Amino acid sequence: QKEVEQDPGPLSVPEGAIVSLNCTYSNSAFQYFMWYRQYSRKGPELLMYTYSSGNKEDGRFTAQVDKSSKYISLFIRDSQPSDSATYLCAMSAISGGYNKLIFGAGTRLAVHP
Amino acid sequence: DTEVTQTPKHLVMGMTNKKSLKCEQHMGHRAMYWYKQKAKKPPELMFVYSYEKLSINESVPSRFSPECPNSSLLNLHLHALQPEDSALYLCASSQDQSKTQYFGPGTRLLVL
């Protein structure tokens, strides 16, 4: 079993839809939870970062963490074609002073006009 | 400013060539990282530098040789690579090893 599971998609939605992206994890030591967005042939861009259970909102994006269920989500409201990208969840725990990122497989999202 | 820059953007090299990838950040970050990413896969950690010292080597073959000349620069020297080493090479930095990582745009490497 992988430490972090993420459905690779692809996920195709119409413009304006609400998108829900999800990851589950098995390591209860994970403390930090991130979502990165990666456009084709570009580096990952940090979208959201949280370290506690609950919701965190930034514009059209909401990150949700449920540590009791070991489940994190990213919601995108009013999705736009420019949101078409691969979304990588990542999580980490500090061990020996080092915060190693464990990535999910990434979900490819296509938002069509 | 959360910018990490990488040069070159693209690189094509033969298996007998020697080349170097360069990464730079001016955010005062003291931890820098090299990752390798194959198509449709997540990034895989290769090396971590903390305060200009190599702190983690994820069992990377010796044909990849990292170097950290100063706190803003990170190089990856390449020698005798194989075609399977073709990938997107990503640099990242963070305030220190325990903080959030910010990625550069990557160098797309093709080994012929």
Side-chain angles (χ1 to χ4, degrees), chain B residues 65-84:
Chain B
S65 175
E67 178 198 19
C68 189
N70 61 55
S71 60
S72 301
L73 279 175
L74 186 66
N75 298 321
L76 186 61
H77 303 297
L78 314 172
H79 174 54
L81 294 194
Q82 304 297 309
E84 59 265 28

Side-chain angles (χ1 to χ4, degrees), chain A residues 6-7 11 19-23 35 71-76 86-88 107-109:
Chain A
Q6 182 178 9
D7 186 338
L11 182 61
V19 175
S20 172
L21 305 168
N22 311 296
C23 289
W35 286 95
Y71 188 90
I72 69 170
S73 299
L74 178 71
F75 298 97
I76 307 174
T86 295
Y87 290 80
L88 294 153
T107 300
R108 284 179 290 138
L109 171 67

Side-chain angles (χ1 to χ4, degrees), chain A residues 31-34 36 46 49-51 90-95 97-101, chain B residues 27-33 35 48-51 92-103:
Chain A
Q31 303 163 294
Y32 303 96
F33 305 90
M34 288 137 285
Y36 286 88
L46 182 66
Y49 167 78
T50 184
Y51 55 85
M91 41 202 83
S92 64
I94 295 180
S95 174
Y98 172 54
N99 193 15
K100 181 174 180 177
L101 290 184
Chain B
M27 296 177 278
H29 288 178
R30 302 313 300 266
M32 297 184 77
Y33 311 77
Y35 286 83
V48 181
Y49 271 83
S50 179
Y51 290 85
S93 73
S94 61
Q95 198 172 347
D96 61 47
Q97 282 189 148
S98 67
K99 298 292 192 290
T100 308
Q101 295 176 33
Y102 295 90
F103 285 83

Side-chain angles (χ1 to χ4, degrees), chain A:
Chain A
Q1 182 189 9
K2 292 181 183 177
E3 279 191 283
V4 179
E5 298 277 1
Q6 182 178 9
D7 186 338
L11 182 61
S12 181
V13 302
E15 183 175 356
I18 296 175
V19 175
S20 172
L21 305 168
N22 311 296
C23 289
T24 59
Y25 62 96
S26 57
N27 187 349
S28 56
F30 286 141
Q31 303 163 294
Y32 303 96
F33 305 90
M34 288 137 285
W35 286 95
Y36 286 88
R37 176 176 63 194
Q38 186 171 24
Y39 291 111
S40 181
R41 298 177 173 270
K42 301 291 185 185
E45 171 194 2
L46 182 66
L47 270 183
M48 302 287 281
Y49 167 78
T50 184
Y51 55 85
S52 58
S53 282
N55 294 352
K56 182 176 181 180
E57 191 173 319
D58 184 1
R60 296 185 295 112
F61 299 90
T62 299
Q64 188 175 80
V65 174
D66 182 346
K67 288 188 177 180
S68 62
S69 301
K70 297 192 181 69
Y71 188 90
I72 69 170
S73 299
L74 178 71
F75 298 97
I76 307 174
R77 289 184 299 282
D78 187 24
S79 55
Q80 302 295 309
S82 58
D83 295 327
S84 299
T86 295
Y87 290 80
L88 294 153
C89 66
M91 41 202 83
S92 64
I94 295 180
S95 174
Y98 172 54
N99 193 15
K100 181 174 180 177
L101 290 184
I102 306 297
F103 286 94
T107 300
R108 284 179 290 138
L109 171 67
V111 181
H112 51 85

